[in-house]
């Protein structure tokens, strides 16, 4: 007999996460876990949910792809005029969540958000496949569109227009940098007694590590 939704559950048994086994630097710790997600050949390990909100606090969330991270923060690319783009410009704060199911791990990050420089957005844009670049021009992301055909026709027109010239980066397309103030590393454990280690940025630039109750 098939299970009901309420009966769907999984016990997490792979491993634990201990204060003595993590880096004091959460960027380094993220790097270690990200490398392990890559080695485990997870599908789209750089897919992350990004939550934003309007200035008056109405939230929204969607998945985007992490395209770089370093000690500045976490970068993804999008349309600055999209729903998320407008929210991030008017209320520059975000929360990010990675869920690496096969490793029974979740990472949460939150912080302030900045638009990256045009030069850095250009560098990534020009590394993208030609059709992805055209797609950035073809899509008025998050706007209502009359039909699929309208989108495909627009794409075809752009293919013809740029057949013999370089496709420039649209001025409304680029990267956002999430500058973390908090991280949480979550490792699923048996009986719902999960391990959670939270990192909070201190005034002196160091990080306070605390174990959080599951
Ligand atoms: C796996 C996956 C990766 C995605 N990557 C991106 C991305 O990097 N940038 C982006 O703008 N949208 C990406 N999307 C589409 C977004 O989820 C979303 O539909 C789109 O950005 C519009 O969101 P908004 O209306 O909230 O602005 C991705 C979707 C999925 C499922």
């Amino acid at each position: 007999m098939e299970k009901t939704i309420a009966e769907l559950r999984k016990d997490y048994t792979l491993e634990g996460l201990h204060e003595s086994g993590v880096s004091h630097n959460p960027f380094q710790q993220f790097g270690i876990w990200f490398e392990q997600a890559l080695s485990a050949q997870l599908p789209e390990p750089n897919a992350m949910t990004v939550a934003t909100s309007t200035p008056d606090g109405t939230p929204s969330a969607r998945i985007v792809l992490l395209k770089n991270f370093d000690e500045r923060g976490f970068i993804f690319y999008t349309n600055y005029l999209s729903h998320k783009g407008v929210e991030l410009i008017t209320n520059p704060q975000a929360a990010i969540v990675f869920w690496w199911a096969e490793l029974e791990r979740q990472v949460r990050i939150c912080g302030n958000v900045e638009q990256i420089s045009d030069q850095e957005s250009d560098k990534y844009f020009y590394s993208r496949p030609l059709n992805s670049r055209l797609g950035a021009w073809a899509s008025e992301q998050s706007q209502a569109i009359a039909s699929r055909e309208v989108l495909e026709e627009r794409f075809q027109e752009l293919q013809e227009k740029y057949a013999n010239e370089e496709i420039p980066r649209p001025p409304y397309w680029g990267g956002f940098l999430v500058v973390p103030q908090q991280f949480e590393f979550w490792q699923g454990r048996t009986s719902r007694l999960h391990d959670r280690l939270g990192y909070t940025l201190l005034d002196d630039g160091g990080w306070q590590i605390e174990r959080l109750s599951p």
Side-chain angles (χ1 to χ4, degrees):
M1 206 173 80
E2 267 194 30
K3 285 181 180 169
T4 65
I5 293 177
E7 286 166 339
L8 293 174
R9 56 175 64 86
K10 174 178 173 354
D11 199 31
Y12 301 116
T13 54
L14 278 183
E15 59 185 297
L17 179 66
H18 195 264
E19 288 82 340
S20 63
V22 293
S23 170
H24 288 282
N25 179 326
F27 294 94
Q28 277 178 15
Q29 183 58 35
F30 182 85
I32 292 166
W33 273 24
F34 194 72
E35 281 300 318
Q36 291 171 351
L38 288 175
S39 303
Q41 300 193 315
L42 304 188
E44 303 210 80
N46 58 332
M48 59 188 194
T49 299
V50 176
T52 57
S53 74
T54 59
D56 65 5
T58 305
S60 63
R62 79 291 292 152
I63 293 175
V64 301
L65 294 179
L66 177 72
K67 285 293 165 178
N68 193 15
F69 73 92
D70 55 29
E71 297 261 339
R72 291 173 303 160
F74 292 74
I75 292 178
F76 66 92
Y77 291 88
T78 193
N79 184 315
Y80 290 141
L81 304 178
S82 66
H83 187 95
K84 79 183 94 41
V86 171
E87 287 191 350
L88 286 171
I89 289 165
T90 52
N91 180 22
Q93 302 177 75
I96 298 173
V97 186
F98 293 87
W99 166 232
W100 294 317
E102 294 83 348
L103 301 178
E104 302 176 350
R105 285 175 175 172
Q106 170 182 238
V107 181
R108 299 168 62 179
I109 296 162
C110 61
N112 295 325
V113 177
E114 300 166 6
Q115 280 173 261
I116 63 172
S117 69
D118 286 344
Q119 290 85 334
E120 195 171 356
S121 288
D122 280 345
K123 196 169 165 210
Y124 174 66
F125 187 79
Y126 291 111
S127 76
R128 300 179 86 208
L130 293 184
N131 281 346
S132 305
R133 290 196 236 167
L134 285 177
W137 280 103
S139 165
E140 289 181 36
Q141 195 178 51
S142 315
Q143 301 301 312
I145 186 166
S147 66
R148 171 90 207 169
E149 287 67 40
V150 169
L151 183 65
E152 288 179 359
E153 273 167 31
R154 201 180 290 160
F155 188 82
Q156 209 174 335
E157 282 164 18
L158 286 159
Q159 270 181 323
E160 286 157 23
K161 178 174 174 191
Y162 288 111
N164 297 310
E165 22 172 325
E166 177 147 82
I167 306 158
R169 177 174 63 87
Y172 53 78
W173 190 98
F176 281 112
L177 170 73
V178 181
V179 180
Q181 287 173 335
Q182 287 187 318
F183 285 75
E184 182 197 314
F185 295 87
W186 183 101
Q187 180 77 55
R189 298 296 304 273
T190 193
S191 309
R192 299 295 185 252
L193 300 181
H194 313 302
D195 286 327
R196 302 176 62 193
L197 295 181
Y199 291 66
T200 304
L201 182 62
L202 301 173
D203 289 342
D204 66 3
W207 292 89
Q208 181 186 36
I209 304 180
E210 285 170 313
R211 176 169 287 268
L212 302 170
S213 183

